[in-house]
Amino acid sequence: MRIRQRPIKKARIEIIPMIDVIFFLLVFFMVESLAMTKINSMPVALPKTSAAPESIKQDIILTIKADGSIFLNKTTATLDTIGNQLAYEMHDKPQSVVVVNADQSSNYGLVIQVMDKARQIGVRKFALATEADGKK
C-alpha cells in the first residue's frame, strides 16, 4: 500500500502586518514624546513639590535661568525690554496666564522684578512652574 505524502510547505513570515505594527509603534512614541516636552520653554531645574502640578495651557512662558538670563517663549529678554515683549505677546490674548518657569537656584529678587514688570503692563494671572518630587 502506498501512502501519499503532502508536500511540506515552507514556513513564511508575513512582513506586511509586521510593518504595520512597527509603524504604529513609531507614531505612538513620536506623539507621546512630543506631549512630554514643553515646546516654548527653556530647560531649567524647576523647584520640586510633593503635589502633582496642574495642567495649564502654556501660551506665554517667562523663563528665568540660574545665571539671571530672561527668556520669553525662547526669545531673549532683559528687565528693560520684558514689558514691551510681553505686551506684544498678550495683544491677541489679554486674559492669558503667564507661566513663570524659574530655575530653583535663580535670584528670587529677579523673579519678583520680572513679575512686577509684567503686572505693570496688565498681566493679572501668573502660574509658577514646578516639578513633581516623585516621592510617595
Side-chain angles (χ1 to χ4, degrees):
M1 176 179 249
R2 196 169 186 193
I3 300 175
R4 291 178 79 181
Q5 289 183 327
R6 290 187 199 168
I8 299 174
K9 290 185 179 180
K10 278 186 142 181
R12 290 180 31 178
I13 297 175
E14 295 292 331
I15 194 133
I16 303 286
M18 189 166 48
I19 290 173
D20 290 343
V21 169
I22 290 172
F23 180 76
F24 176 79
L25 288 173
L26 175 70
V27 170
F28 174 79
F29 286 117
M30 286 173 52
V31 170
E32 188 62 28
S33 67
L34 287 175
M36 293 180 353
T37 61
K38 292 181 180 178
I39 303 296
N40 291 330
S41 68
M42 301 294 288
V44 293
L46 294 173
K48 305 241 186 282
T49 60
S50 59
E54 291 183 29
S55 178
I56 294 177
K57 187 176 179 187
Q58 299 180 2
D59 290 331
I60 300 172
I61 300 177
L62 265 171
T63 304
I64 302 167
K65 289 190 159 193
D67 62 359
S69 54
I70 303 168
F71 295 90
L72 178 64
N73 291 345
K74 290 191 175 181
T75 305
T76 306
T78 64
L79 270 177
D80 299 329
T81 62
I82 194 71
N84 292 335
Q85 288 175 309
L86 259 174
Y88 178 76
E89 286 287 330
M90 294 193 67
H91 177 67
D92 295 336
K93 330 173 238 316
Q95 297 298 321
S96 292
V97 175
V98 174
V99 178
V100 179
N101 194 24
D103 194 285
Q104 66 183 356
S105 60
S106 62
N107 184 355
Y108 182 67
L110 180 62
V111 174
I112 297 302
Q113 287 176 338
V114 170
M115 289 175 69
D116 188 46
K117 292 282 186 181
R119 276 194 198 102
Q120 289 174 5
I121 62 124
V123 176
R124 296 292 171 246
K125 297 178 183 177
F126 290 97
L128 299 175
T130 60
E131 188 174 359
D133 192 11
K135 296 178 185 176
K136 295 265 176 164

